[in-house]
Amino acid sequence: MTKQDDPILTTRDVAARLGVSVKTAQTWIEQGQIESWKTPGGHRRVRASAVDALREQLGNRRPASNQAENAVALVVASGAALPSYVEAAAAAGLRAIGQSDPLNAMLDAGIAMPAVIAVELMRGDWERLSMCRRLLHSRDLAHMRMLLVTDMPAAQLEADLGGLSRIALLPAPADKPAFAAALVACLSLAPSRDQDALPYPVAANEAARLRAVERTGLVDSASDPEFDEVVQLTAETLRVPISLITLLTPDRQWFKARWGLNAHETPRSWAFCNFTVMQNDAFVVEDATADPRFEANPLVTDEPRIRFYAGAPLRDAEGNALGALCAIDRQPRVMDATQKRRLANLAALASNRIALVTRKRLDRWNRGA
């Protein structure tokens, strides 16, 4: 293997490649789970082959079955409650791992790939809430379900975690029988691997598309004036209050740039852009309340109360659809041919900027920067 085929990665690159936080990647490198060396400036560097070897190792540790007797359960709770919950999980037939520290729990989750994670989450516990959010957003834990033993209302949790489709709630405090039963029931919340059962269309090359999204390194990156400029220009050109550059991950619609909207992301199941990436030209919904595909969508029934949507796919240099440039209005409207052409041109501009960012990132890998 040549150096070009096996590029040098920074710690941040390692985190992106494995779908974990930078802190987790740093810990794994320092623990020797990924072979590394230090530059004269004291920065850790890693070969891509070492990262890929660990990723394959982690993938082989995923549960082979959704049945409780073959599943791993990670239990995160206070020191006082942890022994009881671990015993309950074991009594339910799961292979239980107990942890009280949120950081160590994230490390254990990355190594064990549990089928279900049970978390004692009480009001004001921001560290565990942040941990839950990170675990739910992890690409490698897209198979995972979560049980929250909590005193927080469902509405607050949904606002904090971005949807409860993979989460079961159990009022705190919980006794052993209730906890064990809730864990087993939580296993039935698995996201379906059957594409026909998903509430949105998925392309035949979805796996390659997701790898292309990962390759950009843009998901969860900081705001960038070059992309912010595109959504502002789109909103002004098409005279809409909201414009977004979206990227579709396995379970999220993440906004690389946004105009007129405060949210940073939505669950993927809510994304109009699922339909946009399936075609070559603009996808237009003139009135979402009159479209059976979207009339019950939370983005339609609640804020931002989408009525009009127009999206054009964003593609990488190989033609993979990464997400969309979309224009949104709170009022129904019609889009003419000229406006569709302008949206397509702006999407091409955004695609070119994505391709440039991706190329620069790959060049940095090859130089070991």
Side-chain angles (χ1 to χ4, degrees):
M1 179 181 290
T2 66
K3 289 185 177 181
Q4 185 173 3
D5 294 330
D6 191 14
I8 297 172
L9 309 182
T10 66
T11 301
R12 186 171 295 278
D13 293 332
V14 172
R17 206 173 181 99
L18 293 175
V20 299
S21 69
V22 173
K23 185 176 290 186
T24 297
Q26 287 173 337
T27 301
W28 287 356
I29 291 171
E30 295 295 338
Q31 289 177 344
Q33 295 189 53
I34 307 173
E35 184 179 355
S36 66
W37 71 93
K38 281 189 176 182
T39 67
H43 301 291
R44 287 284 180 181
R45 293 294 183 262
V46 176
R47 283 287 179 188
S49 58
V51 180
D52 291 341
L54 177 62
R55 182 164 60 182
E56 182 177 355
Q57 178 185 359
L58 295 176
N60 290 336
R61 295 184 184 184
R62 292 177 187 238
S65 168
N66 283 334
Q67 300 301 314
E69 59 268 22
N70 295 317
V72 174
L74 173 62
V75 181
V76 186
S78 62
L82 186 61
S84 175
Y85 288 155
V86 169
E87 289 176 9
L94 289 90
R95 291 183 286 143
I97 301 172
Q99 187 57 257
S100 57
D101 179 72
L103 175 58
N104 288 332
M106 286 192 285
L107 296 177
D108 285 344
I111 294 171
M113 294 295 174
V116 58
I117 299 178
V119 182
E120 182 187 50
L121 180 63
M122 310 303 282
R123 295 175 190 270
D125 194 338
W126 305 116
E127 281 192 318
R128 284 196 194 147
L129 182 63
S130 176
M131 176 200 72
C132 291
R133 188 181 297 114
R134 287 177 176 272
L135 293 173
L136 288 165
H137 289 172
S138 168
R139 174 180 56 81
D140 284 337
L141 291 173
H143 67 286
M144 174 270 297
R145 288 77 90 198
M146 184 173 286
L147 172 65
L148 298 180
V149 182
T150 182
D151 60 353
M152 298 174 63
Q156 181 62 52
L157 289 168
E158 185 168 13
D160 289 334
L161 299 177
L164 303 179
S165 61
R166 297 164 57 200
I167 302 174
L169 304 180
L170 181 65
D175 58 24
K176 282 186 181 181
F179 182 79
L183 266 182
V184 173
C186 190
L187 289 171
S188 67
L189 295 176
S192 174
R193 295 293 182 182
D194 181 2
Q195 293 184 356
D196 292 336
L198 292 172
Y200 52 84
V202 176
N205 68 335
E206 175 69 0
R209 193 197 68 75
L210 290 172
R211 287 194 296 271
V213 172
E214 179 184 358
R215 201 157 48 237
T216 68
L218 290 175
V219 176
D220 293 324
S221 62
S223 61
D224 188 324
E226 289 196 356
F227 293 105
D228 294 341
E229 178 185 52
V230 174
V231 292
Q232 180 179 354
L233 183 59
T234 301
E236 293 172 349
T237 300
L238 299 178
R239 298 183 179 181
V240 293
I242 300 170
S243 178
L244 305 167
I245 287 178
T246 72
L247 297 170
L248 296 181
T249 79
D251 59 354
R252 288 192 289 162
Q253 173 184 232
W254 186 76
F255 306 146
K256 173 56 187 170
R258 60 196 195 281
W259 177 268
L261 191 69
N262 290 326
H264 293 270
E265 63 183 44
T266 75
R268 180 167 172 182
S269 60
W270 297 4
F272 286 55
C273 298
N274 285 311
F275 295 82
T276 303
V277 298
M278 296 293 290
Q279 55 191 63
N280 293 321
D281 52 3
F283 173 69
V284 179
V285 179
E286 296 180 352
D287 185 355
T289 62
D291 191 317
R293 293 170 297 182
F294 306 109
E295 60 184 0
N297 189 302
L299 300 176
V300 175
T301 60
D302 203 347
E303 290 297 330
R305 301 196 183 280
I306 295 174
R307 295 299 178 264
F308 169 82
Y309 168 95
L314 303 175
R315 299 187 182 277
D316 67 2
E318 285 73 43
N320 296 294
L322 309 170
L325 171 65
C326 49
I328 294 169
D329 203 339
R330 296 184 177 89
Q331 301 295 329
R333 57 188 291 179
V334 176
M335 192 175 202
D336 61 31
T338 299
Q339 291 171 322
K340 289 180 181 179
R341 185 174 65 254
R342 288 172 178 167
L343 178 61
N345 290 339
L346 289 164
L349 173 63
S351 295
N352 288 339
R353 292 185 177 184
I354 290 174
L356 181 59
V357 168
T358 304
R359 172 51 55 193
K360 288 180 177 178
R361 182 169 181 261
L362 292 176
D363 287 345
R364 287 198 302 270
W365 280 6
N366 293 329
R367 294 197 308 268

